[in-house]
Amino acid sequence: MTYARIAGIGSFLPEKVVTNKDLEKMIDTSDEWIQERTGIKRRHIASEGETTSSIGLAAARRAIADAAIEPGDIDLIIVGTTTPDKIFPSTACIIQRQLGVRGCPAFDVQAVCSGFIYALDLANRFIKTGGARTALVIGAETLSRITNWDDRGTAVLFGDGAGCVVLQASDKPGIVSTHIHADGEYEELLQVRYGVSVGYDKTQAGQAFIEMNGNAVFKRAVETFDKIARETMADLDGAVGDIDWFVPHQANMRIITAAAKKLGMPMERVIATVDEHANTSSASIPLALDQAVRDGRIKRGDTVMFAAFGAGFTWGSAVVKY
Ligand code: ACO
């Protein structure tokens, strides 16, 4: 049997940091409120000239070095992003060109905060069915470009960043299971209402911003993590003890704590980076994974569970033998 194994990992954060104290000078908020309601202390923000592809490329180069492969070995590139550089070509094609790779399939997946899980699920299917042997799976976002910096309900929540894993075909696990889901009923609760086909608000040109009903999204997120926990337990025959580490999407510390509780995971085995990164959407899981691998918590052979929830709504999970 062929499995997809994580052969390398890398991440990248823009140098510019915006703290809660910085936000206090811009909007009617406080460091205390943000930390208490979200757990966020600071976020990295792309500077002018930095793009989703440039930070995604930086993460990809680090993952390629970590896996000790050459760009020429790559035969699939999938980028999870909701903030692509351009309408087209895809961010995956832009990164492919920068890496000097030619010919292999390269495409973006738009599943908002579940983007990395969707991309991982797809790459896993390619590898298991012989469609690829060495895949780059990238989550990269410049959410600051669709954040309304005058709206305190959303401005405090988001950040920019990128993470990447190299997946390689192997006869040993590997990705053990993946699940991806969507329910389009809740479009209005979390959206950017303008876009290519519906058009833009001509009186506020360019103002395509994240809009969110925070309370309703919070409730749905917690309920959905319960569903994710049940589905994953079924895979593992109910033995959550087999999971060494839980790496959830990093939206809000209160959602992460609730999700860990649903799973029965003690917080010592939960990777949380939301304090330092805020919500980086599809980049948040590979960023958190990379940090925990670098600081020595997650080791080769550990079983790691990823879970995400985002606009759409979309959600999903993956269990991986690292
Ligand atoms: N600073 C200070 N006060 C604020 C701020 C702020 N930044 N934002 C809101 N408030 C105020 C409100 O106006 C309200 O005041 P009032 O009681 O006088 O009316 C009070 O704080 C409480 O507001 P709530 O919205 O009820 O606060 P809540 O505890 O729900 O926290 C939050 C808000 C953090 C947004 C929370 O609802 C949340 O995390 N929601 C989920 C977000 C999320 O997970 N998104 C995930 C997906 S993102 C994606 O897919 C791109």
Side-chain angles (χ1 to χ4, degrees):
M1 180 157 174
T2 304
Y3 292 96
R5 189 182 149 268
I6 296 179
I9 174 155
S11 67
F12 182 84
L13 289 158
E15 203 179 311
K16 184 177 163 192
V17 171
V18 173
T19 64
N20 293 348
K21 288 273 174 209
D22 295 328
L23 289 178
E24 281 179 1
K25 293 176 207 141
M26 296 158 62
I27 43 177
D28 179 16
T29 191
S30 68
D31 177 34
E32 192 191 355
W33 189 96
I34 302 170
Q35 286 207 47
E36 189 190 302
R37 303 289 177 125
T38 71
I40 297 165
K41 294 179 184 159
R42 58 185 67 84
R43 69 283 295 140
H44 292 254
I45 298 294
S47 298
E48 214 184 315
E50 270 182 318
T51 60
T52 296
S53 72
S54 72
I55 63 176
L57 175 70
R61 287 201 199 284
R62 288 177 181 174
I64 289 167
D66 189 50
I69 60 160
E70 296 297 326
D73 298 328
I74 296 160
D75 55 10
L76 173 67
I77 302 173
I78 310 181
V79 178
T81 187
T82 193
T83 47
D85 283 23
K86 300 178 176 184
I87 292 164
F88 63 81
S90 69
T91 302
C93 283
I94 296 170
I95 291 175
Q96 185 199 41
R97 181 191 196 183
Q98 300 295 328
L99 286 172
V101 179
R102 299 182 85 172
C104 76
F107 58 92
D108 292 355
V109 174
Q110 220 285 37
V112 201
C113 296
S114 309
F116 180 75
I117 300 293
Y118 267 61
L120 196 73
D121 176 281
L122 286 172
N124 182 42
R125 290 173 200 263
F126 267 85
I127 289 177
K128 274 169 54 173
T129 54
R133 288 198 65 79
T134 305
L136 282 190
V137 181
I138 302 169
E141 301 284 5
T142 46
L143 290 175
S144 59
R145 307 268 156 80
I146 54 166
T147 299
N148 180 353
W149 292 101
D150 296 327
D151 172 20
R152 69 175 184 171
T154 53
V156 302
L157 301 175
F158 301 103
D160 301 334
C164 174
V165 297
V166 174
L167 283 189
Q168 269 193 320
S170 167
D171 53 5
K172 293 185 200 70
I175 295 178
V176 179
S177 72
T178 57
H179 297 280
I180 53 172
H181 299 280
D183 182 351
E185 275 300 305
Y186 304 97
E187 184 181 343
E188 289 75 21
L189 294 184
L190 181 54
Q191 63 171 329
V192 175
R193 72 174 61 238
Y194 303 116
V196 182
S197 193
V198 297
Y200 291 87
D201 180 346
K202 301 288 187 293
T203 60
Q204 299 176 302
Q207 297 200 3
F209 293 138
I210 300 167
E211 294 175 36
M212 179 174 68
N213 177 335
N215 281 309
V217 173
F218 189 95
K219 205 164 149 253
R220 284 278 156 195
V222 172
E223 282 169 11
T224 305
F225 272 110
D226 188 38
K227 280 193 212 163
I228 294 172
R230 284 169 203 275
E231 194 171 47
T232 311
M233 293 308 186
D235 274 354
L236 299 168
D237 292 329
V240 75
D242 293 348
I243 299 172
D244 298 300
W245 297 100
F246 178 42
V247 185
H249 168 52
Q250 312 282 318
N252 180 314
M253 199 56 211
R254 290 189 293 147
I255 298 176
I256 293 174
T257 309
K261 204 168 158 199
K262 300 274 184 205
L263 265 175
M265 286 292 283
M267 287 308 286
E268 309 83 74
R269 281 159 51 198
V270 177
I271 307 299
T273 52
V274 68
D275 56 336
E276 297 289 320
H277 302 164
N279 181 346
T280 58
S281 195
S282 66
S284 90
I285 290 177
L287 269 165
L289 175 69
D290 190 39
Q291 180 156 318
V293 167
R294 302 278 151 246
D295 68 25
R297 277 178 291 172
I298 297 181
K299 296 185 180 62
R300 284 286 173 201
D302 285 353
T303 302
V304 185
M305 177 181 165
F306 307 136
F309 171 82
F313 289 130
T314 57
W315 65 96
S317 68
V319 174
V320 178
K321 197 115 193 125
Y322 179 66

